[in-house]
Amino acid sequence: MKFFYNRSLLSENKIQKTADSLLPYIKHLQLVADKAGYADVESTINLPTDKKMLQEIIAMAKQKATPKLKYFIDIAIGASDLGAKAWYDAFWGFYDLLQPERFPKTIFLETPDEELLTKTIRLLTSLKSKEEFLINAVSKSGGTPETVVNLEVILDALKKRFGDVNDRLIISAGTDTPMFKLAKEKKLPLLEMVKNVGGRYSVFSSQGLLAAAVTGLDMQALCQGAVAMRQKCLDPDLLKNPAALSASIIFQHYQSGKNISDTFIFLPQLETLGKWYRQLMGESVGKEYDLAGKKVRQGITPTISIGSTDLHSVGQLYLGGPRNRISTFVWGENKKYEATIPQEMEFPVLDAVAGKSTHTFIRAVIEGVKIAYQKQQLPYMEVVLDTVSEYSIGEFMQFKMIEMMYLGKLMNVNAFDQPNVELYKKETRRILKST
Amino acid sequence: MKFFYNRSLLSENKIQKTADSLLPYIKHLQLVADKAGYADVESTINLPTDKKMLQEIIAMAKQKATPKLKYFIDIAIGASDLGAKAWYDAFWGFYDLLQPERFPKTIFLETPDEELLTKTIRLLTSLKSKEEFLINAVSKSGGTPETVVNLEVILDALKKRFGDVNDRLIISAGTDTPMFKLAKEKKLPLLEMVKNVGGRYSVFSSQGLLAAAVTGLDMQALCQGAVAMRQKCLDPDLLKNPAALSASIIFQHYQSGKNISDTFIFLPQLETLGKWYRQLMGESVGKEYDLAGKKVRQGITPTISIGSTDLHSVGQLYLGGPRNRISTFVWGENKKYEATIPQEMEFPVLDAVAGKSTHTFIRAVIEGVKIAYQKQQLPYMEVVLDTVSEYSIGEFMQFKMIEMMYLGKLMNVNAFDQPNVELYKKETRRILKST
């Protein structure tokens, strides 16, 4: 992964000055990394090196995901499934319609939807044996309402069809939660979620990695990419540290009124990866109170755009509208595949593309967009993936998680909590009790 | 469809005053409707009553979509496919993984992606006969680069496998474009795109309706919903006119600094419908110059959130972060389906949901969110669909297209052009020629 910031429209001096203020925190993160383990809120950076956890997950996947497995059902929501879904969609999900014979396929049950539940049940109960499905219910808090609702509806139908299905259910939850305890009593297959790692920083734990392993992704490469990136993002030589640079640039533009951060990804299969980042930024720095307890109501609205598609959607707004966003272009060749436009075109309305590869075409679009942004004085950064691989996506996610810790520090907010969501949850519980 | 605005945090007086300024334009739209036809830029409102066009599309669908059809390939991008995709995803696409035996399935080819193209070609060339696929290439301008690239790559592979496939290709394009003329010379099946109806207002033309008809949606109901809504949205009794009210409320909040408009949809199958609206708003009111030619760089950033999923993603930001957005909650029961949580729960960690339907659960979440927004003084409107049906989605789209014309009028910009996208296109063409 390469990171460029020469078009951020900020001077290197100014960026360096902001980044300098991160040096004590970088030192703290280095200590967290050195001592390993999970004592600190930043312990997420130690997950990809946790050999014991990785082995446990590999063993679980090996035991449960036999060649008979057709459907892996990931019951979770928000932080508890976006990482797994980002990986699945990047390598499988975006192409599932085109590969009807490829298995196992993953079905994500997030918000309870009656049609989705009905059709999932029809599909699963039509299977020949229970070895053809495997359920993973993931809830850090051990009681996420959506996850409980979906799980109960699905289990009820599966038990009626197959009898006892406990051996086809894996529970991933925090160790001190009611769900974990119940699962333990029932002797269900269990994976622990690390207490000090918040949901949105938990992709390199059982949350993301079990789903990756079950569907045949290279877990080791995902983790290796993250480990390599951790080193870069803890570098005190700030001008070589992509996380410190990116956080400093977003922060400076935020201070001068740019309160939207657009991640413009020119790889359509990475849209869910974008949504994962949207969640990371939305929850981490959108805060009512700062670290001193002062009411600040601050935050940056994260948006995800997909190139070249969204040039035909929000391109007009971005190029012509208000200068209230800092953009990060994410691109890279998918080197495993290629497609070429024939020399003799059926519709020769665009001679310049004849005989060229789709890579060349998309590169020209990206370069065109960059020049247009420059001419309109719109700031941007660039993240270039080596290719679409487990390793490079592992790099990207680690880069973004450390960037977010730095951004929280610069904005003087707690990047690890989400107190305001309790506001609607409390009301919902009250309404549910009274209906 | 019902529309509520009692929590917009604006006085009825203030809303009425803004809406009043729309009265001359409403009169103009009434004239456009009265004379029918396509003489004006607002002629989109006459599409759903165009019986001749509808019959042409139905005839084309009937002729080409035989019971053998398995894959409908929609090659288009942005305005030329988002409407069709919104409909497909709402009724079929969101559930495709769960219904492997349901056909025809639609494959959307938007941005050229080498892996997607490679896998689409593998799938199509493995089919037994060319009657099992049907391609519709849609380009209002008759030369959208992405559409040309995808079409050429696909056709090249199909011709090698099946020989002449001209009878399995339908071209939809503006009549005075190079692609239309070439298709006519080749005697290809052709559908005209109306000159005065811009892409993003064209869903009720061949663009959206052919795809709907081919996949078995009720085109008549889609159009009937739109026709009924047109009447409501041309009502000079402004407090009964949802489009005038919604545009006035968005505009007033925009003037007081709320430059983000969030459409928060509590029906996950309508995410693409949200993206359709995002495109409509992004291109229509994100403008560098106003109608007087004055440089204004104005616009509202449209965002789409999906409930309840995104409460676990951007909910913290929305509830705790800056008050810079006006929200529209969209919800409704999907009355064709239901799912119930068992009375005896396997994991009784949330007693209040036992024995209840998922409808009841989601309603409680929505009500909880509304109360939380009220307590945090966050303004919102509500759109309640009667159910997820062709009729109600037809209503919604007509409502939003007329709302956007009104919003353009209030913001004093041209809601029908997108001049700034030319900035990157020009550079891309230059780069393509030189590589």
Side-chain angles (χ1 to χ4, degrees):
Chain A
M1 190 198 98
K2 289 194 187 75
F3 175 75
F4 301 98
Y5 64 104
N6 51 322
R7 297 293 179 174
S8 71
L9 303 189
L10 298 171
S11 72
E12 194 126 310
N13 253 346
K14 221 174 158 185
I15 299 168
Q16 172 93 49
K17 213 176 145 192
T18 302
D20 275 347
S21 70
L22 290 170
L23 280 171
Y25 192 52
I26 291 176
K27 200 166 265 180
H28 170 69
L29 287 190
Q30 284 167 339
L31 285 174
V32 171
D34 286 346
K35 68 184 171 189
Y38 300 105
D40 305 87
V41 287
E42 296 91 351
S43 304
T44 173
I45 59 172
N46 295 331
L47 286 169
T49 56
D50 186 337
K51 293 222 168 71
K52 185 172 159 282
M53 181 193 67
L54 295 180
Q55 273 160 7
E56 227 176 280
I57 294 168
I58 290 173
M60 179 74 85
K62 211 170 170 182
Q63 187 199 338
K64 297 292 179 184
T66 66
K68 279 186 182 170
L69 184 66
K70 292 185 82 173
Y71 295 101
F72 179 66
I73 321 295
D74 194 318
I75 305 184
I77 196 162
S80 294
D81 84 333
L82 271 171
K85 200 162 188 251
W87 287 339
Y88 184 77
D89 285 351
F91 297 103
W92 308 118
F94 189 67
Y95 311 101
D96 259 344
L97 192 61
L98 306 172
Q99 303 182 113
E101 307 301 332
R102 189 202 61 79
F103 291 105
K105 288 182 158 48
T106 301
I107 297 167
F108 292 91
L109 296 179
E110 302 175 301
T111 189
D113 173 73
E114 41 286 340
E115 187 165 353
L116 198 69
L117 279 166
T118 305
K119 290 180 172 170
T120 302
I121 288 169
R122 273 187 210 154
L123 179 73
L124 297 183
T125 54
S126 75
L127 296 174
K128 285 187 202 115
S129 84
K130 60 181 180 176
E131 276 67 46
E132 293 181 38
F133 66 82
L134 177 64
I135 298 170
N136 184 205
V138 187
S139 169
K140 177 86 198 303
S141 71
T144 311
E146 285 89 341
T147 302
V148 173
V149 167
N150 278 328
L151 180 60
E152 294 290 340
V153 173
I154 291 286
L155 278 184
D156 190 48
L158 290 178
K159 283 190 293 183
K160 283 175 187 150
R161 162 74 176 85
F162 296 102
D164 181 6
V165 292
N166 278 358
D167 57 326
R168 304 309 297 158
L169 171 62
I170 301 167
I171 299 289
S172 301
T175 47
D176 53 354
T177 65
M179 196 175 237
F180 191 90
K181 283 167 198 159
L182 279 163
K184 206 161 186 177
E185 280 169 29
K186 291 172 192 281
K187 296 189 175 129
L188 290 172
L190 254 174
L191 288 170
E192 287 180 22
M193 293 184 80
V194 181
K195 195 179 171 179
N196 259 331
V197 175
R200 60 185 176 274
Y201 294 96
S202 71
V203 62
F204 291 105
S205 76
S206 58
Q207 185 255 112
L209 291 174
L210 179 72
V214 163
T215 56
L217 295 184
D218 186 343
M219 275 173 67
Q220 312 282 359
L222 283 164
C223 291
Q224 281 159 8
V227 170
M229 185 51 66
R230 183 179 81 171
Q231 199 176 351
K232 283 189 192 176
C233 293
L234 298 188
D235 193 338
D237 185 351
L238 296 164
L239 296 181
K240 287 184 187 159
N241 180 327
L245 286 168
S246 182
S248 298
I249 289 164
I250 293 171
F251 178 67
Q252 291 240 339
H253 281 298
Y254 169 69
Q255 282 197 308
S256 61
K258 292 192 175 25
N259 58 8
I260 298 170
S261 170
D262 186 51
T263 304
F264 207 141
I265 309 177
F266 282 80
L267 288 159
Q269 65 273 52
L270 302 189
E271 183 172 354
T272 310
L273 183 66
K275 287 182 180 174
W276 169 87
Y277 178 62
R278 171 170 166 261
Q279 197 254 352
L280 181 67
M281 176 177 263
E283 290 203 330
S284 297
V285 299
K287 294 288 147 84
E288 190 170 4
Y289 296 93
D290 70 7
L291 284 172
K294 195 179 135 202
K295 195 163 189 157
V296 288
R297 288 204 83 96
Q298 64 183 25
I300 302 170
T301 295
T303 60
I304 305 305
S305 309
I306 298 302
S308 62
T309 306
D310 285 337
L311 292 168
H312 302 260
S313 168
V314 281
Q316 165 63 31
L317 170 70
Y318 292 178
L319 286 166
R323 290 201 186 89
N324 57 356
R325 66 177 55 70
I326 165 75
S327 301
T328 301
F329 297 124
V330 181
W331 59 276
E333 275 186 21
N334 183 349
K335 289 180 183 154
K336 277 184 235 155
Y337 292 86
E338 59 173 63
T340 305
I341 301 138
Q343 195 65 52
E344 296 290 318
M345 289 170 66
E346 196 74 28
F347 296 89
V349 294
L350 191 72
D351 297 340
V353 299
K356 297 202 168 107
S357 73
T358 56
H359 286 310
T360 305
F361 170 72
I362 288 294
R363 270 301 294 276
V365 174
I366 294 168
E367 294 305 314
V369 170
K370 280 160 58 180
I371 294 169
Y373 268 58
Q374 288 165 32
K375 288 194 173 170
Q376 294 293 85
Q377 294 162 278
L378 302 168
Y380 65 84
M381 299 179 267
E382 264 179 281
V383 173
V384 185
L385 306 181
D386 298 329
T387 180
V388 180
S389 67
E390 286 95 333
Y391 185 90
S392 64
I393 292 184
E395 284 183 311
F396 180 83
M397 290 174 112
Q398 185 65 284
F399 158 53
K400 285 294 177 181
M401 287 191 284
I402 299 180
E403 174 213 85
M404 204 48 61
M405 296 180 206
Y406 292 157
L407 189 57
K409 193 52 77 180
L410 291 170
M411 290 175 74
N412 195 34
V413 293
N414 185 338
F416 302 96
D417 67 357
Q418 58 282 337
N420 288 92
V421 297
E422 197 46 42
L423 296 176
Y424 86 86
K425 285 186 178 173
K426 192 179 68 184
E427 302 297 337
T428 298
R429 280 194 298 268
R430 191 183 51 73
I431 295 164
L432 277 173
K433 272 181 195 151
S434 69
T435 50
Chain B
M1 190 199 100
K2 289 194 189 74
F3 175 75
F4 301 99
Y5 64 103
N6 51 321
R7 296 293 180 176
S8 70
L9 304 189
L10 298 171
S11 73
E12 194 126 307
N13 253 346
K14 220 176 159 185
I15 299 169
Q16 172 93 49
K17 213 176 143 191
T18 301
D20 276 348
S21 70
L22 289 170
L23 279 171
Y25 192 52
I26 291 177
K27 200 166 264 178
H28 170 69
L29 286 190
Q30 283 166 340
L31 285 174
V32 171
D34 286 346
K35 68 183 171 191
Y38 301 104
D40 304 87
V41 287
E42 296 91 351
S43 303
T44 172
I45 60 172
N46 294 332
L47 286 169
T49 56
D50 187 337
K51 293 221 169 70
K52 186 173 157 281
M53 182 193 65
L54 294 181
Q55 273 159 7
E56 226 176 282
I57 294 168
I58 290 172
M60 180 73 85
K62 213 171 166 180
Q63 190 201 336
K64 297 293 180 185
T66 66
K68 282 188 181 167
L69 184 65
K70 293 185 82 174
Y71 295 101
F72 179 65
I73 321 295
D74 195 318
I75 305 184
I77 195 162
S80 294
D81 85 332
L82 271 171
K85 200 163 187 247
W87 286 340
Y88 184 78
D89 285 350
F91 298 102
W92 308 119
F94 188 66
Y95 312 101
D96 259 345
L97 190 61
L98 306 172
Q99 303 183 112
E101 306 302 330
R102 190 201 62 78
F103 292 104
K105 287 182 160 47
T106 301
I107 297 166
F108 292 92
L109 296 178
E110 303 175 302
T111 190
D113 173 72
E114 40 287 340
E115 187 166 353
L116 198 69
L117 279 166
T118 304
K119 289 179 173 170
T120 302
I121 288 169
R122 272 187 210 155
L123 178 73
L124 297 182
T125 54
S126 74
L127 296 173
K128 284 187 200 110
S129 84
K130 61 181 179 174
E131 277 67 43
E132 294 181 35
F133 66 82
L134 177 63
I135 298 170
N136 185 204
V138 188
S139 169
K140 176 86 199 302
S141 71
T144 311
E146 285 89 341
T147 303
V148 173
V149 166
N150 278 328
L151 180 61
E152 294 289 340
V153 173
I154 291 286
L155 278 183
D156 190 48
L158 290 177
K159 283 191 293 183
K160 283 176 186 149
R161 162 74 176 85
F162 295 102
D164 182 7
V165 292
N166 278 359
D167 58 326
R168 304 310 298 158
L169 171 62
I170 302 168
I171 299 289
S172 301
T175 47
D176 54 354
T177 65
M179 196 176 236
F180 191 90
K181 283 168 198 159
L182 280 164
K184 206 161 186 179
E185 279 171 29
K186 291 173 191 279
K187 297 191 173 124
L188 290 172
L190 252 173
L191 289 169
E192 287 179 24
M193 293 185 81
V194 181
K195 193 180 171 178
N196 259 332
V197 176
R200 62 185 176 272
Y201 294 97
S202 71
V203 62
F204 292 105
S205 76
S206 58
Q207 184 254 109
L209 291 173
L210 179 72
V214 164
T215 55
L217 294 184
D218 185 343
M219 273 173 67
Q220 312 281 1
L222 283 164
C223 291
Q224 281 160 6
V227 170
M229 185 52 66
R230 182 179 81 171
Q231 200 176 350
K232 285 190 192 174
C233 293
L234 298 188
D235 193 338
D237 185 351
L238 296 165
L239 297 182
K240 288 184 186 158
N241 181 328
L245 286 169
S246 182
S248 298
I249 289 164
I250 293 171
F251 178 66
Q252 291 239 340
H253 281 299
Y254 169 69
Q255 281 195 308
S256 61
K258 291 190 173 28
N259 59 9
I260 298 171
S261 170
D262 185 52
T263 304
F264 207 140
I265 309 176
F266 282 79
L267 288 158
Q269 66 272 52
L270 301 189
E271 182 172 355
T272 310
L273 183 66
K275 287 183 181 174
W276 169 86
Y277 178 61
R278 170 171 167 260
Q279 198 254 350
L280 181 66
M281 177 176 262
E283 288 203 332
S284 297
V285 298
K287 292 289 148 84
E288 189 169 6
Y289 295 94
D290 70 8
L291 283 171
K294 195 180 134 200
K295 194 162 192 161
V296 287
R297 288 205 83 95
Q298 64 183 24
I300 302 170
T301 295
T303 58
I304 306 306
S305 309
I306 298 303
S308 61
T309 307
D310 285 335
L311 291 168
H312 302 261
S313 166
V314 281
Q316 164 63 30
L317 170 71
Y318 292 178
L319 287 166
R323 290 201 186 89
N324 57 356
R325 65 176 57 70
I326 164 74
S327 301
T328 301
F329 297 124
V330 181
W331 59 277
E333 274 185 21
N334 183 351
K335 289 180 182 153
K336 278 183 236 156
Y337 292 87
E338 57 173 63
T340 305
I341 301 138
Q343 194 66 53
E344 295 290 320
M345 288 170 66
E346 196 73 29
F347 296 89
V349 294
L350 192 72
D351 297 339
V353 299
K356 297 202 170 108
S357 73
T358 56
H359 286 310
T360 305
F361 170 72
I362 287 294
R363 270 302 293 276
V365 174
I366 294 168
E367 294 306 314
V369 170
K370 281 160 58 179
I371 295 168
Y373 269 58
Q374 288 166 32
K375 289 194 173 170
Q376 295 292 85
Q377 294 162 278
L378 301 168
Y380 65 84
M381 298 179 266
E382 264 179 280
V383 173
V384 185
L385 305 181
D386 298 328
T387 179
V388 181
S389 67
E390 286 94 333
Y391 186 89
S392 64
I393 292 183
E395 285 182 310
F396 181 84
M397 290 175 111
Q398 186 65 283
F399 158 51
K400 285 296 178 180
M401 287 192 283
I402 299 180
E403 174 213 85
M404 204 47 62
M405 296 180 206
Y406 293 157
L407 189 58
K409 194 51 78 179
L410 292 170
M411 291 176 74
N412 195 35
V413 294
N414 185 340
F416 303 96
D417 67 356
Q418 57 283 336
N420 288 92
V421 296
E422 196 47 41
L423 296 176
Y424 86 86
K425 285 186 177 174
K426 193 179 68 185
E427 301 297 338
T428 298
R429 282 193 298 268
R430 189 183 52 71
I431 294 164
L432 277 173
K433 271 181 196 150
S434 69
T435 49

